Amino acid sequence: MQCLKNLVRALYKPKLIVNEKRKFDVLNVIRRYQHESDETLEEYEETKEEKDIYRGLLQEYIGTSIIGHRVFVIQPYVKWGVKKKRNTTPQLQLSEAVALINTLPNWTVVGEKIVPLLSLEKKKLIGSGALETIKKDIANCSSATAIFVSTNSLKFIQIAKLQEILHLPIYDRYSIVINIFREHAKTTEAKLQVALAEIPYIKQKMIDFTNYRPVRINHDDKVKEILQTKEKKIKNALKKLKEHRNMIKQQRQSYGFPSIAVVGYTNAGKTSLIKALTEDAALQPEDKLFATLDTTVHQGLLPCKLKVLYVDTIGFIQDVPETLIEPFVVTLEDAISADILIHVFDISHPDAKAQIQHVQKTIQSMVDENKVIINVANKCDMLEKQDIKEILPDDTITVSAIKLTGIDLLRLKIEEEVTKSPNLVKTRIRVTMGSTEASWLYKETTVLNVEPDPKNPQYLIMDVFMTTPVFYKFKRVFNV
């Protein structure tokens, strides 16, 4: 009887201890990934004068979201030709424009107008007749305090012409999304990335303004120098951050935790999906655009008990210039280098097809052709029509992250793909009970099953998962 008790103690007590140690290792990787990155950033300081000048530039060229606005939304679209969008409709584009405005605190939409155009490049963006109609529509919304022209980036001359006639501040998609980013940026990293995205926009508007009003003296050298210095400091800080992320990534890989990056269009349900997969009650998804700007890592457990890391990422959106998203590419590329990608999309969204295509096109240049991508159609519980197969990518798994429909099936699919990884070894090892080898395997690998050797109870048969480097480390350390 005592021998049996000793056997049970040998089988389970060390496992509990080392599993707690391994859990600590996972949490340590996550903590360092999410928090210590700020400590690696180059100290960034500005004088009061520099802050005041930059604040003035922001107000002049991007505007502020603090006071809020009552917005009249104009959705232009190209009627025909090569620039005409064929995978969406002007009404769906307008709906997204309205959603962008509603994402900002204290901003509301008081009127909207779809405007057909031959081109988005003309100095006078909208013709005189259409402008007069818009002017009357705005007059009927006497409380309007701003106009949002939902195109990626307006030229300064286009803004000036519209302001001369409509007598209200003009925003484009770049400036609206920047204001959303500023609202949602919480960490030092995100704030720096947002600031870096602002600078090209400000610079371009300064150049446009100089060309539009050549008689005005060019912006003084001091302003240009402040922008150049600020941009250089931010880039240096983000470069240092990238080096730190590479170090954490190597550490993560050395522990042998497979990683799964979740990507998708903004508000597709990435955070909700991760919450469902990890059962992490601390995660609080928000039903708004660009709720997540920071790349975060969360521990999950597959059915086979293998620990994995899910990486949440910034969402994508159509019709914004590359310079707006470019500062976030550093962290996005790090996430996309994960072992597996999950592309999640909101299948209930009326513009789902265009959103899917936009994400596919955006990540295409970032991944190699052998990257495993699992397509997940989220929010299936919100569908009124079930005939959606024509827009779904191949082998799509349909889920509801809120109601947990299809989540178990998705976990099994992730497990299937993870365990096929050439960098992951599943093996059976015979070790002495209570030996250093057994303790090492508990600490450094994922132990799937343990049972006494039926031929000799002094030995254990251990089924384990480990990365290839860890496997060779085991062989080297124990000379097997």
Side-chain angles (χ1 to χ4, degrees), residues 61 74 76 117 120-126 147-160 162-163 169-175 201 204-205 208 321:
Y61 296 111
I74 298 174
L117 301 174
L120 298 173
E121 305 301 322
K122 291 183 178 181
K123 290 182 180 180
K124 193 175 179 181
L125 180 69
I126 301 172
I147 295 169
F148 172 32
V149 182
S150 182
T151 188
N152 59 16
S153 182
L154 293 169
K155 297 181 177 66
F156 188 91
I157 189 171
Q158 293 174 321
I159 294 174
L162 289 171
Q163 284 180 338
I170 308 294
Y171 291 84
D172 54 20
R173 284 175 74 92
Y174 199 125
S175 56
Y201 186 85
Q204 186 58 53
K205 291 297 179 285
D208 288 350

Side-chain angles (χ1 to χ4, degrees), residues 147-198:
I147 295 169
F148 172 32
V149 182
S150 182
T151 188
N152 59 16
S153 182
L154 293 169
K155 297 181 177 66
F156 188 91
I157 189 171
Q158 293 174 321
I159 294 174
K161 293 288 187 184
L162 289 171
Q163 284 180 338
E164 284 176 7
I165 296 172
L166 302 176
H167 308 295
L168 288 173
I170 308 294
Y171 291 84
D172 54 20
R173 284 175 74 92
Y174 199 125
S175 56
I176 291 296
V177 173
I178 278 290
N179 274 295
I180 294 173
F181 282 2
R182 289 176 70 84
E183 285 287 336
H184 294 174
K186 305 301 181 187
T187 65
T188 303
E189 174 191 352
K191 290 174 182 177
L192 285 175
Q193 288 169 319
V194 173
L196 188 59
E198 294 166 351

Side-chain angles (χ1 to χ4, degrees), residues 246-349:
N246 286 336
M247 181 186 72
I248 297 300
K249 179 181 173 183
Q250 291 171 2
Q251 183 186 38
R252 185 179 71 206
Q253 291 173 336
S254 70
Y255 278 122
F257 306 134
S259 55
I260 299 100
V262 182
V263 301
Y265 206 81
T266 182
N267 207 32
K270 295 181 291 298
T271 305
S272 295
L273 184 65
I274 291 175
K275 181 175 183 176
L277 287 166
T278 62
E279 301 178 358
D280 184 353
L283 277 173
Q284 297 299 323
E286 297 180 83
D287 185 16
K288 58 186 179 182
L289 306 185
F290 297 110
T292 300
L293 287 187
D294 299 292
T295 298
T296 55
V297 181
H298 310 271
Q299 177 188 341
L301 203 63
L302 297 181
C304 68
K305 308 304 179 186
L306 179 66
K307 293 180 178 69
V308 294
L309 299 178
Y310 293 99
V311 186
D312 202 355
T313 62
I314 184 175
F316 299 94
I317 194 169
Q318 303 175 83
D319 295 327
V320 293
E322 289 183 6
T323 51
L324 180 56
I325 301 298
E326 187 177 353
F328 294 87
V329 169
V330 172
T331 48
L332 188 59
E333 285 181 342
D334 176 65
I336 287 181
S337 67
D339 299 293
I340 292 173
L341 292 187
I342 292 178
H343 173 198
V344 58
F345 44 89
D346 177 0
I347 196 58
S348 71
H349 198 287

Side-chain angles (χ1 to χ4, degrees), residues 41 234-244 330:
L41 295 175
I234 294 172
K235 285 182 176 179
N236 286 339
L238 291 175
K239 181 180 178 182
K240 195 169 184 179
L241 172 63
K242 184 175 182 179
E243 293 171 356
H244 175 77
V330 172

Side-chain angles (χ1 to χ4, degrees), residues 431-432 434-442 462 474 478 480:
V431 297
T432 306
S435 65
T436 306
E437 291 95 327
S439 298
W440 192 95
L441 289 171
Y442 276 124
M462 302 179 67
F474 175 77
F478 298 103
V480 294

Side-chain angles (χ1 to χ4, degrees), residues 339-436:
D339 299 293
I340 292 173
L341 292 187
I342 292 178
H343 173 198
V344 58
F345 44 89
D346 177 0
I347 196 58
S348 71
H349 198 287
D351 210 16
K353 184 176 181 179
Q355 293 181 356
I356 292 169
Q357 291 175 351
H358 175 73
V359 175
Q360 289 174 331
K361 182 179 178 181
T362 304
I363 67 174
Q364 186 176 12
S365 62
M366 299 184 190
V367 299
D368 61 61
E369 58 183 12
N370 297 320
K371 174 71 71 175
V372 175
I373 301 178
I374 301 174
N375 294 300
V376 175
N378 189 27
K379 307 187 186 182
C380 66
D381 56 307
M382 298 174 63
L383 280 177
E384 295 181 2
K385 297 188 301 182
Q386 297 302 317
D387 188 19
I388 57 173
K389 294 182 180 179
E390 68 276 4
I391 70 169
L392 293 180
D394 294 338
D395 303 320
T396 297
I397 297 176
T398 305
V399 307
S400 168
I402 299 298
K403 296 188 176 180
L404 304 183
T405 307
I407 296 300
D408 287 341
L409 179 63
L410 177 56
R411 283 199 190 99
L412 288 171
K413 178 63 176 176
I414 294 169
E415 178 176 295
E416 176 189 338
E417 296 297 342
V418 165
T419 53
K420 287 194 300 188
S421 169
N423 193 43
L424 197 63
V425 176
K426 181 179 180 181
T427 187
R428 172 167 283 199
I429 300 176
R430 182 174 182 266
V431 297
T432 306
M433 185 182 300
S435 65
T436 306

